[in-house]
Amino acid sequence: MIVNLLLLFLALSTNANDEGYCDLKTKTCDNDFFKEKFILYDVNPPEGFNLRRDVYMRFAIMFAEAKKNKNEWKLVLPPWYKLYHWKSERKNYPIYWSKFFNVDSLKSFAPVVELHDIFTKTETNILNIDHLYVLQNFPDPFENGEFKDKWEIGGDCDYDGEFWGYSNITVTEIVCVKFQGRISNLWDLVAMHPSDKFIMFAHGEIPLHDYYGSKTFWDCRKSMKFNKDLIKTAKQFIADHLNCKEEKCASYISVHWRRQDFARLRRNDVPSVQGTVKQIDGFIKKHSPNTKNVFVASDGQNSELTQLESQLTSIGYKVHFFIPTPSQLNDFKDGGIAIIDQIICSHAAYFIGTYESTFTFRIQEEREILGFDSSTTFNRLCPDSGKCEKPSKWRVVS
Ligand SMILES: Nc1nc2c(ncn2[C@@H]2O[C@H](COP(=O)(O)OP(=O)(O)OP(=O)(O)O)[C@@H](O)[C@H]2O)c(=O)[nH]1
Ligand SMILES: [Mg+2]
């Protein structure tokens, strides 16, 4: 009923004619908007920033490939909303992609658009999604021992997101879809309703890359340039505190020391404070004995960071953290501060990461793009005892 009323409201307040999308109030028409079709997606609410960056790549590549065949759909960048780790940002949601990324650069790779650009085009300010496909995993992904690409409509489902906090996004029909395999198969679902203008996929993390690590993958990754203010701030920090003005610095090593949920739940993968100090010292003595500057990126608590700093200082190292001023935090947000940490890690002579952290993966990719030798990049902190598998190396393909 509400949906019907909204549709009626839409029909009364706007008039899309052959010339395009027309707004009765301002008497302006936008031909392109009338023709354009948009796909939105959302990700499982608890997922973090860095997995979401990979999910974006899956969609961006799907759209970039389809554009080569004159596909007219555009991808709407889902705003950043209520991310679990972003504790200081509860009041400022939603955050648009331009806060963290260079959207023109994203557009150079794939046909993407920010959600606010769509709201500014719909004068009624209501965005009605024709079909919201809620993706779900198959209960048994390995039927008869084999993982196959497949999808199937049916079953029960719920949209567990919040449309990024917008109350003016409405849906005509929700469709439950069990899905597994390559993301390009989503086009089969899109093709079911050719007259749709707005489609959305919930649980966009379920479809997989068509080709992980391909040249197109890296072209997409390279287009994910950061917002220029974040780059400027990171580079200024490197120049002021780490004595380097080059892209590839020789003057410091960097460490991503993932704590919080990792330190609690993945004790077999991450070391104690003392173990971390011992490993950093051992690494530097082996690979870069003249280095004194250690940059540490971490989500650790102040007490842990102070311990780490004092123990490293006591054996002769100078420890650096990027500590934002209140105005930097307010301006860049937790996500921007995390990116600044990643940029500073990316330019170091050597990087030591946390095993299987997507935050670490994104730094490794950045260093591959910058052209560092992979031996300086794919290093990890080991647990205090027990086995320590080598990190996988994902080398850039040009
Ligand atoms: N500023 C800063 N934030 C960090 C750091 N490490 C983790 N975080 C925060 O914690 C979040 C990490 O979550 P994810 O992006 O999910 O990455 P992850 O948890 O390491 O990896 P997965 O859970 O395996 O995907 C980041 O988005 C940051 O908000 C760090 O070194 N510096
Ligand atoms: Mg995470």
Side-chain angles (χ1 to χ4, degrees):
M1 179 64 179
I2 293 174
V3 168
N4 285 341
L5 278 176
L6 287 173
L7 286 177
L8 180 68
F9 176 53
L10 264 179
L12 288 175
S13 49
T14 60
N15 174 26
N17 61 20
D18 287 344
E19 290 165 71
Y21 178 92
C22 294
D23 172 359
L24 289 183
K25 243 198 252 164
T26 58
K27 301 211 167 33
T28 50
C29 293
D30 179 345
N31 290 334
D32 284 346
F33 186 65
F34 182 56
K35 285 185 224 133
E36 281 167 354
K37 291 157 151 302
F38 300 93
I39 294 182
L40 299 89
Y41 74 91
D42 200 358
V43 175
N44 188 23
E47 296 297 348
F49 184 48
N50 291 290
L51 176 85
R52 285 164 191 266
R53 284 171 58 183
D54 189 64
V55 173
Y56 161 76
M57 288 181 60
R58 302 175 206 173
F59 277 94
I61 293 169
M62 164 185 168
F63 279 68
E65 291 296 320
K67 197 177 168 204
K68 292 180 189 159
N69 301 324
K70 306 241 178 321
N71 182 305
E72 78 258 67
W73 289 93
K74 293 209 162 158
L75 177 65
V76 181
L77 298 167
W80 306 95
Y81 181 70
K82 283 194 184 168
L83 263 69
Y84 165 77
H85 298 94
W86 295 359
K87 307 258 189 292
S88 65
E89 263 147 44
R90 293 289 176 237
K91 291 190 211 102
N92 296 323
Y93 287 110
I95 303 170
Y96 287 105
W97 281 60
S98 57
K99 196 85 206 154
F100 304 135
F101 295 97
N102 175 336
V103 173
D104 284 337
S105 178
L106 302 181
K107 284 183 180 173
S108 72
F109 178 79
V112 299
V113 52
E114 292 258 39
L115 184 55
H116 61 73
D117 286 339
I118 293 185
F119 286 136
T120 58
K121 286 177 177 179
T122 55
E123 176 65 19
T124 57
N125 233 355
I126 289 169
L127 192 164
N128 185 66
I129 292 161
D130 301 295
H131 286 94
L132 166 56
Y133 297 96
V134 176
L135 305 179
Q136 298 170 299
N137 288 308
F138 278 91
D140 175 15
F142 292 93
E143 217 181 349
N144 304 322
E146 209 186 339
F147 183 92
K148 271 195 186 151
D149 281 18
K150 56 183 174 180
W151 57 266
E152 188 183 297
I153 289 181
D156 292 329
C157 65
D158 246 339
Y159 170 54
D160 54 3
E162 298 178 45
F163 298 114
W164 313 282
Y166 290 102
S167 53
N168 54 345
I169 298 183
T170 58
V171 177
T172 305
E173 192 181 356
I174 293 186
V175 182
C176 309
V177 188
K178 290 193 200 62
F179 188 96
Q180 73 178 33
R182 281 170 293 187
I183 194 161
S184 57
N185 293 329
L186 290 180
W187 290 123
D188 297 349
L189 289 166
V190 175
M192 290 196 312
H193 299 281
S195 60
D196 283 358
K197 183 172 178 71
F198 290 103
I199 286 181
M200 177 163 163
F201 294 106
H203 284 271
E205 74 286 355
I206 289 180
L208 305 173
H209 278 285
D210 277 29
Y211 303 104
Y212 190 83
S214 62
K215 178 178 180 304
T216 313
F217 170 94
W218 283 100
D219 287 347
C220 178
R221 182 62 184 77
K222 286 177 192 169
S223 75
M224 295 186 78
K225 295 205 166 86
F226 297 121
N227 166 301
K228 64 176 180 1
D229 295 334
L230 300 178
I231 299 174
K232 196 169 141 203
T233 305
K235 290 210 163 158
Q236 195 62 52
F237 181 92
I238 297 173
D240 292 348
H241 300 275
L242 299 162
N243 313 323
C244 171
K245 291 192 169 149
E246 323 290 316
E247 286 292 284
K248 293 192 202 172
C249 298
S251 52
Y252 68 101
I253 76 138
S254 63
V255 180
H256 174 227
W257 196 46
R258 184 76 164 79
R259 305 305 285 171
Q260 305 260 355
D261 43 323
F262 267 52
R264 278 196 311 274
L265 307 171
R266 306 183 59 142
R267 280 168 194 264
N268 294 339
D269 292 324
V270 300
S272 64
V273 176
Q274 265 168 335
T276 308
V277 171
K278 206 168 136 201
Q279 288 179 58
I280 294 174
D281 183 43
F283 185 95
I284 295 178
K285 288 209 168 97
K286 182 167 172 202
H287 297 280
S288 186
N290 297 324
T291 299
K292 288 286 164 243
N293 287 317
V294 179
F295 176 78
V296 178
S298 183
D299 60 341
Q301 300 190 341
N302 278 344
S303 57
E304 294 173 305
L305 299 177
T306 314
Q307 279 181 48
L308 183 76
E309 181 180 20
S310 72
Q311 292 186 29
L312 280 169
T313 308
S314 73
I315 52 172
Y317 295 105
K318 189 156 172 28
V319 182
H320 304 262
F321 302 103
F322 179 80
I323 301 170
T325 62
S327 94
Q328 281 174 325
L329 182 58
N330 185 44
D331 191 15
F332 300 146
K333 317 287 180 205
D334 286 346
I337 303 304
I339 287 174
I340 290 170
D341 267 347
Q342 289 181 314
I343 299 173
I344 301 170
C345 284
S346 303
H347 291 274
Y350 288 89
F351 170 66
I352 309 173
T354 295
Y355 188 58
E356 285 189 346
S357 154
T358 49
F359 190 102
T360 281
F361 292 157
R362 299 294 89 88
I363 295 169
Q364 292 168 337
E365 290 161 7
E366 211 62 32
R367 293 175 61 85
E368 279 292 303
I369 293 169
L370 283 167
F372 278 101
D373 190 286
S374 69
S375 65
T376 68
T377 294
F378 296 95
N379 305 295
R380 62 164 283 191
L381 292 166
C382 293
D384 288 353
S385 60
K387 97 174 175 316
C388 182
E389 251 173 60
K390 283 209 156 58
S392 341
K393 289 187 185 177
W394 291 102
R395 305 291 320 277
V396 66
V397 178
S398 299

